[in-house]
Amino acid sequence: MKPILFAAALSLCSLASSAATPLYLDNNAPLEERVEDALSRMTTADKIAIIHAQSKFCSAGVPSLGIPELWTSDGPHGVRPEVLWDEWDQAGWTNDSCVAFPALTALAASWDPAISRLYGESIGEEAAYRGKDVLLGPGVNIYRTPLNGRNFEYMGEDPYLAGVMVAPYIQGLQSKGVAACVKHFALNNNEVNRHTTNVIVDDRALYEIYLPAFKAAADAGAWSFMAAYNLNGDEHMCHNKRFLNDILKGEWGFDGAVISDWGGVHDTREAITNGLDLEFGTWTNGLSSGASNAYDNYYLARPYLKLIESGEVGTAELDDKARRVLRLMMRTSMNPAQRGSMCSPEHYTAARTIGDAGIVLLKNDGNVLPIKTEGDVKVLVVGENAVKMMTVGGGSSSLKVQREISPLDGLRAALDGKAQVEWVRGYVGDVTGEYNGVVTGQDLTDSRSAEELIAEAVDKARGADYVIFVGGLNKSAGQDCEDADRTGLELPYNQDAVIEALAAANPNLVVVNVSGNAVAMPWVNKVPAIVQAWFLGSEAGNSIADVLTGAVNPSGKLPFTFPTSLNDVGAHALGAYPGTQRADSPIVDLEYKEGILVGYRWADAKNTKPLFPFGHGLSYTTFEYGDATVDSKTIGMGDSITVSVPVTNTGKVPGQEVVQLYIADNKASVVRPPKELKAFKKVALLPGQTEVVKFTIGKDALSFFDDKAHAWTAEPGKFTVLVGSSSRDIRSKAAFTLTDKAVASK
Ligand code: BGC
């Protein structure tokens, strides 16, 4: 698995037998002392060697010191299959299949930090078993537009939610001796023109919307960050002084390594001075694009060495980079705690549990769901996504799975002996199933016309007790997929027409939308039940069946707004997407004109009516909220108040509710969103049970980023606490006053 690890191990043995264990190999010694010891033994060439790749996914160790090479892998939903040393083609291994976990949107939709910890630990074990030291994920770029092809790999539109949810993933993963590589830092909020977009954003939006989840990741102790492809201030993010040196390493005190996105480095001198530590994926043009064994020509390889040898640059930056990479190695590849297992029953259970927790019941008129199986029940399943494998495709997060349960298989298993289940196609989407040499092996070809497919589905639907339409997006280019964005909000492949026809044929229609993005639903009022099912990985079908049959009571909440149309999204309403190409260069300037008003902040400020609002998600039971109370009507700076709200399960089955707390600043000297999420808690309640949910709110929850003072500021005055079941289903309010002014630290 790690070709030179054997050599490294040999040299470790010889070192150990010839003398006392050197300090850098002593796992009980303080990390910084070990790093300095290793550094002091390295030549300039050794240091250069460890700061750039030596293959598609691996960088060199220090063979003379017995320090093994460092292996990275995508990420973030499972461990990527092996590719050839120098090529993207499959290596053809037969032991690199993995468990695919649900996409990060599904994880965010669980609103449950314990589920995130389970995710991190499970994927960490898979990565460790496969000999990976750095997992390329998780991603926390904010959901700015529903067209972004990579939203499914991120954690939604709210910086607080994404920050709370990303931390346990990182800590769980790293507890297995595998580093998180938090991506894509930063402002990589769309895929179109991802290498050439120069984002223009004001400091308030930067600090209030786009940075907090990354800061939460740094605060959680992430060992590496991946710098993004795009630019800010005309400087590529992979060597962007402000973002890497000033913010990440300066303001946030990050001591880990900054890794470039693959091919994101463009300049040796900027890479030296502007905070990049480890270069990967560079296309060595000038030799020939992607030439084999061209790693010596990387920006941080021979060109850097030459500048040092000629005296044009010093070695202070090199030492800093080598230190950071050594730290990363000691935390991972040299960490005896790096241990794992692959495709274990526990990992499948984890994948199913995460999926169960993330599925969102969007609508359930007349309690169509869960499926009732008394009598001779006929269930008709319609749609390509009921059978299509979703773990292959989507770009670098594509996986080779040991198994993937389709929604149809999941339903068949769950309803075995209880109902007759039949499937018809309904529509033909994308019948291909290949990414990077991994093939699904499914033959989805169907030469029938759209009319024939609809006629068949309608005919069967008339005789069914339930019709379950499973559609949505897929991982093909232009859908939920890297390197391109969607071209519109609507469902592809004529699905709207199929759904309309089914709704007319059978009143018990359930639409299961598989996607990582919001989609338009022009038929929303004609369909009684709608489920948002995400990309759920290996156990997708089982999780979906769990919820549809009621074995699991749905408890997920939307981590982003479903707008009615693109005009209800700030970026689109203001024409601030995808930017304007400069006349004389490939650079595309993209100004985030909506500033801090992203997602529900925009919807609230403009009073739009979302199709489904941020934080929305129903249950098979009902929850009643009592009055929210505060333990003090005033707070001073440095104080905190406790908000209490009783929540009761008033239905007949056990369930979980995500109690959400938003804060509104009643009057401010700057524009503030009408309300912002500042706390939440997922509570499990038995029928009739009440829990008094408590939240502690301090100055942080009241502050905005004062761009002139470059500091977080809370202004004295009246604030409102809004507690509810979604951003648009506020059940109770309370008020308090902040009494004196102070400036928070950076
Ligand atoms: C993607 C990264 C990924 C890397 C390696 C890049 O194109 O943007 O997210 O980790 O490739 O596959």
Side-chain angles (χ1 to χ4, degrees):
M1 226 168 255
K2 289 185 171 183
I4 70 163
L5 198 59
F6 184 56
L10 276 181
S11 103
L12 281 173
C13 291
S14 53
L15 277 166
S17 57
S18 59
T21 308
L23 182 61
Y24 71 93
L25 289 177
D26 179 359
N27 284 298
N28 297 317
L31 178 65
E32 293 311 308
E33 288 176 25
R34 295 177 62 202
V35 168
E36 290 311 316
D37 182 50
L39 195 70
S40 70
R41 297 167 192 259
M42 290 167 68
T43 64
T44 300
D46 288 337
K47 295 174 191 171
I48 291 282
I50 64 167
I51 63 166
H52 61 85
Q54 63 174 3
S55 82
K56 283 286 174 229
F57 282 101
C58 140
S59 57
V62 191
S64 63
L65 297 183
I67 294 180
E69 56 197 8
L70 189 78
W71 276 87
T72 71
S73 172
D74 289 296
H77 306 139
V79 185
R80 183 174 176 156
E82 303 299 325
V83 299
L84 292 172
W85 186 256
D86 258 337
E87 310 292 340
W88 290 106
D89 304 325
Q90 292 300 299
W93 291 18
T94 52
N95 58 352
D96 57 347
S97 303
C98 68
V99 173
F101 297 93
L104 292 194
T105 33
L107 174 61
S110 76
W111 293 58
D112 188 344
I115 288 287
S116 179
R117 174 83 194 194
L118 173 70
Y119 197 130
E121 287 178 2
S122 308
I123 198 171
E125 286 168 1
E126 296 251 326
Y129 188 87
R130 285 267 304 279
K132 306 304 179 192
D133 306 307
V134 179
L135 187 83
L136 304 175
V140 282
N141 295 94
I142 289 293
Y143 188 113
R144 177 176 181 257
T145 159
L147 301 190
N148 180 12
R150 278 189 107 168
N151 277 337
F152 72 101
E153 289 186 69
Y154 304 139
M155 302 182 97
E157 72 185 23
D158 184 74
Y160 178 79
L161 174 65
V164 171
M165 290 302 293
V166 79
Y169 178 119
I170 292 168
Q171 288 165 343
L173 171 67
Q174 295 188 166
S175 73
K176 305 295 172 185
V178 177
C181 184
V182 183
K183 63 194 190 182
H184 303 88
F185 188 65
L187 300 173
N188 183 184
N189 306 99
N190 50 258
E191 286 296 289
V192 62
N193 308 319
R194 64 177 173 163
H195 294 275
T196 50
T197 296
N198 179 53
V199 174
I200 300 160
V201 60
D202 62 69
D203 271 8
R204 278 200 64 201
L206 182 62
Y207 276 82
E208 292 184 29
I209 304 293
Y210 296 102
L211 289 182
F214 285 106
K215 180 167 189 299
D219 290 347
W223 291 335
S224 70
F225 261 53
M226 182 187 287
Y229 284 136
N230 49 284
L231 305 90
N232 173 262
D234 279 10
E235 224 166 55
H236 281 96
M237 302 308 297
C238 284
H239 24 87
N240 190 299
K241 178 180 171 301
R242 182 175 185 214
F243 278 78
L244 304 184
N245 283 346
D246 300 349
I247 297 175
L248 178 61
K249 295 179 178 177
E251 291 177 19
W252 301 348
F254 173 71
D255 73 355
V258 174
I259 299 177
S260 71
D261 198 346
W262 269 229
V265 184
H266 301 269
D267 185 89
T268 293
R269 282 177 186 271
E270 282 189 17
I272 293 172
T273 56
N274 291 0
L276 180 72
D277 301 310
L278 189 42
E279 177 187 4
F280 265 94
T282 300
W283 292 101
T284 50
N285 282 324
L287 294 170
S288 75
S289 187
S292 291
N293 291 316
Y295 300 96
D296 284 348
N297 295 291
Y298 270 34
Y299 292 97
L300 288 185
R302 200 184 290 140
Y304 190 3
L305 194 55
K306 277 193 182 151
L307 287 173
I308 291 175
E309 284 169 352
S310 67
E312 287 177 74
V313 304
T315 54
E317 293 94 350
L318 178 62
D319 281 346
D320 182 56
K321 295 179 201 305
R323 255 183 211 109
R324 288 171 181 276
V325 174
L326 284 169
R327 226 173 258 141
L328 183 60
M329 289 167 159
M330 288 178 188
R331 286 165 165 164
T332 61
S333 57
M334 297 170 73
N335 181 351
Q338 190 187 81
R339 222 168 264 132
S341 54
M342 211 169 85
C343 295
S344 66
E346 290 78 10
H347 294 171
Y348 283 108
T349 303
R352 185 168 180 168
T353 305
I354 298 160
D356 286 350
I359 291 174
V360 182
L361 180 62
L362 294 175
K363 185 176 176 187
N364 194 20
D365 286 0
N367 293 329
V368 168
L369 288 174
I371 295 170
K372 287 120 201 123
T373 50
E374 297 87 39
D376 182 21
V377 173
K378 289 196 183 79
V379 175
L380 178 71
V381 180
V382 185
E384 184 171 287
N385 283 0
V387 296
K388 186 178 170 68
M389 277 183 76
M390 290 294 180
T391 51
V392 175
S396 56
S397 63
S398 183
L399 296 169
K400 181 166 114 189
V401 289
Q402 192 192 42
R403 70 164 196 250
E404 176 177 341
I405 309 290
S406 71
L408 179 63
D409 287 344
L411 279 166
R412 282 210 164 115
L415 295 173
D416 189 30
K418 299 179 192 157
Q420 295 174 42
V421 179
E422 192 181 356
W423 174 75
V424 293
R425 186 65 179 262
Y427 68 94
V428 176
D430 186 344
V431 299
T432 63
E434 189 268 346
Y435 178 77
N436 202 201
V438 175
V439 292
T440 64
Q442 290 185 298
D443 181 5
L444 296 175
T445 51
D446 196 321
S447 56
R448 288 175 293 171
S449 69
E451 292 71 28
E452 286 172 293
L453 293 169
I454 291 180
E456 178 194 43
V458 165
D459 183 47
K460 302 263 183 191
R462 288 204 180 100
D465 296 292
Y466 290 95
V467 179
I468 316 281
F469 176 84
V470 187
L473 307 179
N474 56 33
K475 300 276 194 71
S476 306
Q479 304 283 312
D480 282 325
C481 186
E482 183 177 337
D483 209 18
D485 284 349
R486 299 162 69 201
T487 51
L489 194 60
E490 59 281 352
L491 283 175
Y493 317 128
N494 201 36
Q495 291 178 74
D496 288 340
V498 184
I499 296 169
E500 296 269 1
L502 291 173
N506 192 313
N508 280 348
L509 174 62
V510 178
V511 170
V512 178
N513 183 57
V514 175
S515 75
N517 255 318
V519 300
M521 298 183 182
W523 32 261
V524 66
N525 294 326
K526 300 177 192 159
V527 175
I530 306 174
V531 173
Q532 177 59 30
W534 318 112
F535 297 107
L536 296 178
S538 288
E539 289 288 303
N542 284 334
S543 290
I544 289 169
D546 283 343
V547 166
L548 295 186
T549 60
V552 164
N553 191 351
S555 63
K557 299 274 187 176
L558 289 179
F560 52 80
T561 307
F562 269 56
T564 307
S565 84
L566 280 183
N567 291 335
D568 290 347
V569 178
H572 296 279
L574 299 176
Y577 167 92
T580 313
Q581 190 176 336
R582 293 183 194 168
D584 53 349
S585 90
I587 301 296
V588 175
D589 285 312
L590 171 55
E591 186 179 353
Y592 287 6
K593 291 183 185 161
E594 73 281 17
I596 55 171
L597 298 178
V598 175
Y600 66 88
R601 291 163 168 82
W602 176 271
D604 286 353
K606 303 295 167 189
N607 211 8
T608 68
K609 191 175 176 317
L611 180 63
F612 296 106
F614 173 80
H616 171 74
L618 304 174
S619 165
Y620 295 147
T621 189
T622 45
F623 299 99
E624 203 172 280
Y625 286 56
D627 289 340
T629 52
V630 285
D631 66 350
S632 169
K633 289 282 173 200
T634 60
I635 68 165
M637 298 289 170
D639 294 348
S640 59
I641 55 166
T642 300
V643 181
S644 305
V645 62
V647 180
T648 305
N649 180 347
T650 49
K652 293 194 175 59
V653 290
Q656 295 183 74
E657 168 72 331
V658 178
V659 183
Q660 302 162 39
L661 184 151
Y662 298 82
I663 294 278
D665 188 349
N666 295 8
K667 190 161 169 261
S669 63
V670 295
V671 173
R672 299 207 65 179
K675 65 175 176 300
E676 295 185 280
L677 182 75
K678 292 297 172 185
F680 61 86
K681 193 170 173 203
K682 193 166 193 172
V683 289
L685 296 171
L686 296 170
Q689 190 185 352
T690 299
E691 180 172 329
V692 178
V693 180
K694 290 186 186 298
F695 301 101
T696 302
I697 297 299
K699 185 177 57 189
D700 285 356
L702 313 178
S703 303
F704 63 88
F705 189 77
D706 181 343
D707 47 1
K708 295 184 191 68
H710 197 77
W712 288 90
T713 302
E715 290 180 338
K718 291 197 165 71
F719 288 81
T720 306
V721 182
L722 305 95
V723 180
S725 181
S726 87
S727 64
R728 287 293 175 95
D729 185 7
I730 299 302
R731 305 286 183 89
S732 183
K733 294 183 188 177
F736 65 90
T737 302
L738 179 68
T739 51
D740 52 313
K741 184 173 162 74
V743 175
S745 60
K746 283 173 188 172

